[in-house]
């Protein structure tokens, strides 16, 4: 992300460097020119005994030229100096925002640490990362993204003391150095101030842009003795701020380090997991509540980790999403699920729809449609037997472009479901406009329907809404007979949950397809 904004900076730096070299060469030329001239004059004077008027005139002329050349050389020397100063500024500042860059921040931080050490004082480093900046950059263009970064930079500078340093690390990351703090609480106040300063909308190109920021804080000497460690720990704390809901701040805690290390080792393992064929799919049946038959299955990925055993998505999917590895993993899941569904049909089992979870990154990748087609072709699975599950946030975040992809998928014959319905925010008009086949009521509501009247009301409302939108409604996370009975009474079409069957391996599912699920259905 940072490359996009820093490339012009690099070009500018290169041009300034070339200019300075050019000027220096020019100054040397001029100086050498005047030296040659002087040598010529002296030789001329030596060669003759008496000097004629002509020769004196010539000498005067040469002298005058020498003076001009010297002045030129001086001017050029000044220009060289200015160019050097520009070069120095460019080397230490970010071109887009003119804030100190990583190099200057490191210098200042090292000095501040030395000073704090001598005086026995504390200092703070704040690592800031804008929330969902990439989304703005992608949807409104880099020009708007750049101006938003400039506006953020101005607000940050306006919100700190003169002695503080606000630097841009690249992309949408800023690092602040607060060299003079008495208590950690002061830093918390500064962080709150920053959050508030950035909360006001940024008006850019008639857009009112709202952008949050996640802040991680590390304190010298407790959280690190050197610049690198302090920045690293502030970065880790920032990551935790992001994970716990964004637009807030977190102080570094030592056990965050252990978790960061674990995350890194999971990420490194994920990189190798595909080629080592460590992923497996489990399948969970979806049951028609009235007939009790299996009407579909959901493919759920598992990772057979060589040391840690079978890992569930909660332990690796978000890491795969953050690192982009979800793209190749998602492609594998899609292909494998289609191949398996087709294999069951070829084996003579009743044809059923297989649902595949699709994360935001996959859905927005330009070639998503291609991969869906490729998986269908490779498996020879009819498109109507494939369903894609997308969450509300994936659908609503960029509704206009989602709409065209969804219609292209629907035209293919692929089915579409809204996963975890009720946990996000949905626009009713989009829900009507999108070619959605199924609403999956999130398990957190289903869980409570027999205990919490509010959840019961909500589930009933979703069921009737689905009916009026002509969408199938399926309840996730059905665990008890009472829940199944309630859903049936509310005319919910389908249910999925441990009450009917846990997710199982492909072989076990083939048996379920033959025998049906076992719970005594409440009717
Ligand atoms: P989801 O799509 O909402 O899947 C349902 C999750 O609920 C599954 O967890 C399933 O095992 C669990 N579940 C099913 N019935 C019950 C029940 O009765 N009670 C309870 N407490 N839980 C139940 P799982 O397999 O751990 O997957 C979690 C999430 O990970 C999924 O939520 C989905 O968002 C994501 N995920 C799973 N596989 C993939 C995948 O291949 N690609 C992507 N992008 N995400 C995946
Ligand atoms: Mg799902
Ligand atoms: Mg779900």
């Amino acid at each position: 992300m940072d490359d996009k904004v820093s490339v012009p900076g690099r070009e500018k730096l290169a041009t300034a460097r070339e200019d300075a070299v050019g000027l220096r060469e020019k100054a040397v030329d001029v100086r050498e020119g005047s030296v040659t001239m002087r040598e010529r004059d002296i030789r001329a004077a030596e060669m003759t005994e008496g000097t004629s008027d002509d020769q004196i005139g010539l000498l005067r002329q040469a002298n005058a030229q020498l003076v001009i050349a010297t002045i030129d050389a001086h001017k050029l020397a000044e220009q060289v100096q200015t160019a050097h100063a520009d070069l120095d500024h460019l080397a230490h500042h970010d071109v887009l925002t003119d804030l100190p860059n990583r190099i200057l921040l490191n210098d200042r931080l090292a000095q501040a640490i030395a000073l704090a050490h001598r005086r026995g004082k504390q200092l703070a480093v704040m690592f800031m990362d804008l929330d969902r900046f990439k989304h703005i950059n992608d949807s409104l263009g880099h020009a708007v993204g750049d101006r938003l970064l400039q506006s953020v930079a101005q607000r940050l500078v306006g919100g700190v003391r003169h002695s503080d340093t606000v630097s841009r690390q690249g992309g949408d990351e800023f690092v602040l150095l607060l060299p003079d703090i008495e208590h950690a609480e002061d830093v918390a106040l500064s962080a709150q101030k920053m959050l508030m300063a950035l909360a006001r909308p940024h008006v850019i190109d008639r857009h009112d842009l709202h952008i949050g920021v996640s802040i991680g804080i590390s304190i010298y000497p407790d959280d690190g003795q050197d610049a690198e460690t302090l920045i690293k720990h502030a970065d880790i704390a920032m990551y935790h701020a992001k994970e716990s809901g964004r637009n807030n701040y977190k102080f570094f805690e030592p056990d965050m380090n252990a978790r960061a290390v674990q995350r890194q080792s999971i990420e490194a393992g994920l990189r190798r997991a595909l080629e080592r064929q460590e992923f497996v799919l489990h399948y969970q049946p979806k049951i028609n509540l009235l007939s009790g038959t299996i009407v579909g299955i959901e493919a759920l990925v598992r990772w057979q980790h060589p040391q840690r055993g079978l890992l569930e998505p909660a332990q690796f999917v978000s890491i795969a999403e953050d690192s982009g590895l979800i793209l190749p993993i998602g492609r594998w899941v899609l292909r494998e699920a289609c191949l398996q569904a087709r294999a069951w049909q070829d084996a003579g089992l009743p044809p059923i729809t297989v649902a595949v979870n699709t994360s935001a990154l996959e859905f927005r990748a330009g070639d998503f449609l291609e991969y869906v087609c490729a998986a269908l072709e490779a498996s020879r699975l009819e498109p109507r037997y494939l369903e894609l599950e997308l969450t509300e946030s994936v659908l609503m975040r960029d509704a206009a472009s989602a709409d065209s992809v969804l219609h292209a998928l629907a035209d293919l014959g692929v089915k579409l479901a809204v996963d975890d319905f009720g946990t996000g925010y949905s626009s009713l008009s989009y829900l009507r406009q999108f070619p959605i086949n199924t609403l999956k009521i999130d398990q957190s509501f289903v869980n409570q329907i027999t205990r919490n009247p509010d959840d019961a009301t909500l589930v009933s409302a979703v069921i009737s809404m689905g009916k009026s939108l002509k969408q199938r409604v399926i309840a996730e996370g059905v665990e008890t007979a009472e829940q199944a009975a309630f859903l049936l009474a509310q005319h919910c079409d389908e249910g999925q949950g441990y009450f009917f069957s846990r997710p199982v391996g492909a072989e076990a599912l083939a048996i379920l397809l033959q025998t049906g699920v076992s719970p005594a259905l409440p009717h």
Side-chain angles (χ1 to χ4, degrees):
M1 194 191 309
D2 62 357
D3 286 349
K4 275 169 202 138
V5 277
S6 59
V7 162
R10 246 179 260 146
E11 277 171 6
K12 239 181 169 171
L13 201 67
T15 324
R17 206 173 287 138
E18 276 167 20
D19 284 354
V21 169
L23 283 168
R24 203 182 302 128
E25 280 170 1
K26 239 181 177 171
V28 168
D29 280 354
V30 169
R31 224 177 289 133
E32 279 178 357
S34 60
V35 168
T36 344
M37 220 179 292
R38 206 182 304 160
E39 278 169 358
R40 204 186 328 126
D41 298 341
I42 294 167
R43 242 179 288 129
E46 274 175 359
M47 271 163 66
T48 47
E49 294 202 340
T51 0
S52 73
D53 284 353
D54 279 1
Q55 284 167 327
I56 286 173
L58 211 70
L59 258 177
R60 279 214 182 104
Q61 212 182 323
N63 248 343
Q65 275 178 0
L66 191 62
V67 172
I68 293 168
T70 313
I71 293 171
D72 279 354
H74 270 297
K75 272 194 208 149
L76 281 170
E78 269 168 28
Q79 284 178 26
V80 170
Q81 227 163 22
T82 324
H84 265 299
D86 286 352
L87 195 62
D88 192 57
H89 186 87
L90 277 170
H92 292 103
H93 290 79
D94 162 54
V95 177
L96 183 70
T97 58
D98 207 36
L99 291 177
N101 63 10
R102 199 187 286 261
I103 299 169
L104 187 52
L105 188 266
N106 279 340
D107 271 6
R108 291 202 186 155
L109 184 51
Q111 281 171 21
I113 289 173
L115 201 66
H117 177 70
R118 276 204 301 278
R119 295 184 179 162
K121 294 250 178 181
Q122 294 184 307
L123 64 80
V125 173
M126 278 191 196
F127 201 110
M128 299 186 166
D129 186 289
L130 301 184
D131 298 331
R132 304 200 174 92
F133 173 74
K134 195 176 158 12
H135 173 60
I136 292 183
N137 222 15
D138 289 349
S139 53
L140 299 177
H142 296 153
V144 172
D146 282 0
R147 285 176 53 200
L148 178 61
L149 289 171
Q150 288 168 334
S151 170
V152 166
Q154 269 172 9
R155 299 243 182 116
L156 293 179
V157 172
V160 298
R161 289 188 286 184
H162 270 305
S163 51
D164 301 339
T165 298
V166 180
S167 73
R168 178 160 173 249
Q169 295 283 295
D172 58 351
E173 291 175 350
F174 297 86
V175 172
L176 272 62
L177 160 64
L178 315 181
D180 200 11
I181 55 161
E182 290 296 327
H183 310 285
E185 297 87 78
D186 302 344
V187 190
L189 278 178
S190 298
Q192 267 159 3
K193 226 170 100 186
M194 295 294 167
L195 289 173
M196 267 159 52
L198 292 182
R200 279 181 290 121
H202 301 256
V203 186
I204 289 158
D205 265 4
R206 299 187 313 279
H207 299 288
D208 268 356
L209 299 180
H210 293 263
I211 187 118
V213 64
S214 300
I215 306 177
I217 303 166
S218 64
I219 308 278
Y220 170 87
D222 292 359
D223 302 331
Q225 303 289 321
D226 55 72
E228 196 187 336
T229 313
L230 284 168
I231 294 178
K232 191 176 96 192
H233 286 173
D235 185 11
I236 290 174
M238 182 281 293
Y239 201 87
H240 282 260
K242 239 184 225 305
E243 276 205 323
S244 61
R246 299 166 193 262
N247 206 33
N248 62 9
Y249 64 89
K250 280 261 180 293
F251 282 91
F252 174 75
E253 291 163 25
D255 80 320
M256 287 178 175
N257 229 345
R259 275 184 279 166
V261 168
Q262 193 181 349
R263 258 189 102 85
Q264 263 162 11
S265 94
I266 295 242
E267 191 182 319
L270 274 178
R271 287 184 192 283
R272 295 186 300 260
L274 263 180
E275 64 202 55
R276 296 187 183 176
Q277 303 185 341
E278 289 169 356
F279 292 112
V280 272
L281 289 185
H282 281 188
Y283 300 90
Q284 189 178 34
K286 300 177 179 182
I287 310 296
N288 178 311
L289 288 175
L290 206 57
S291 66
T293 51
I294 300 176
V295 286
I297 48 169
E298 177 174 6
L300 294 157
V301 69
R302 304 286 182 258
W303 178 14
Q304 187 63 55
H305 192 284
Q307 283 92 37
R308 293 172 209 245
L310 196 68
L311 300 185
E312 306 234 319
Q315 291 158 287
F316 64 90
V317 163
S318 77
I319 300 173
E321 283 172 341
D322 287 348
S323 56
L325 288 167
I326 196 68
L327 291 174
I329 296 172
R331 277 174 211 150
W332 178 84
V333 170
L334 190 64
R335 210 181 139 91
E336 178 69 16
C338 290
L339 284 169
Q340 184 61 69
R342 176 70 207 202
W344 282 322
Q345 287 183 16
D346 288 347
L349 292 164
I352 42 155
T353 308
V354 63
V356 173
N357 290 285
T358 310
S359 66
L361 209 61
E362 296 172 72
F363 184 63
R364 286 208 207 95
D367 51 8
F368 179 59
L369 211 59
E370 262 172 60
Y371 275 97
V372 173
C373 292
L376 289 168
E377 267 166 38
S379 60
R380 294 178 298 110
L381 183 72
E382 284 175 60
R384 64 186 165 127
Y385 291 120
L386 174 65
E387 182 165 57
L388 297 174
E389 294 193 5
L390 299 135
T391 61
E392 286 166 285
S393 56
V394 172
L395 291 171
M396 299 298 161
R397 207 179 287 166
D398 193 358
S401 70
D403 192 53
S404 68
V405 181
L406 293 175
H407 276 98
L409 287 165
D411 289 347
L412 268 181
V414 171
K415 301 214 176 83
L416 299 162
V418 185
D419 204 352
D420 305 341
F421 188 74
T423 56
Y425 136 89
S426 281
S427 143
L428 208 58
S429 64
Y430 276 121
L431 271 189
R432 227 183 22 227
Q433 174 185 329
F434 289 157
I436 304 272
N437 306 85
T438 313
L439 296 181
K440 297 191 78 179
I441 307 177
D442 189 66
Q443 47 182 279
S444 58
F445 305 109
V446 177
N447 208 289
Q448 297 291 321
I449 44 177
T450 49
R451 270 174 273 155
N452 185 338
D454 287 347
D455 284 339
T457 314
L458 193 128
V459 168
S460 310
V462 173
I463 294 169
S464 28
M465 187 185 81
K467 293 249 177 267
S468 63
L469 292 174
K470 304 210 169 35
Q471 289 161 348
R472 276 161 57 231
V473 177
I474 173 161
E476 296 186 75
V478 181
E479 292 185 354
T480 65
E482 291 72 34
Q483 291 165 353
F486 176 93
L487 292 161
L488 189 62
Q490 298 295 321
H491 306 291
C492 183
D493 306 303
E494 293 166 20
Q496 178 183 357
Y498 297 166
F499 175 63
F500 305 110
S501 165
R502 286 184 173 260
V504 293
E507 282 170 24
L509 194 100
I511 295 169
L512 281 182
L513 283 178
Q514 283 165 322
T515 60
V517 289
S518 48
L521 281 176
H523 61 269

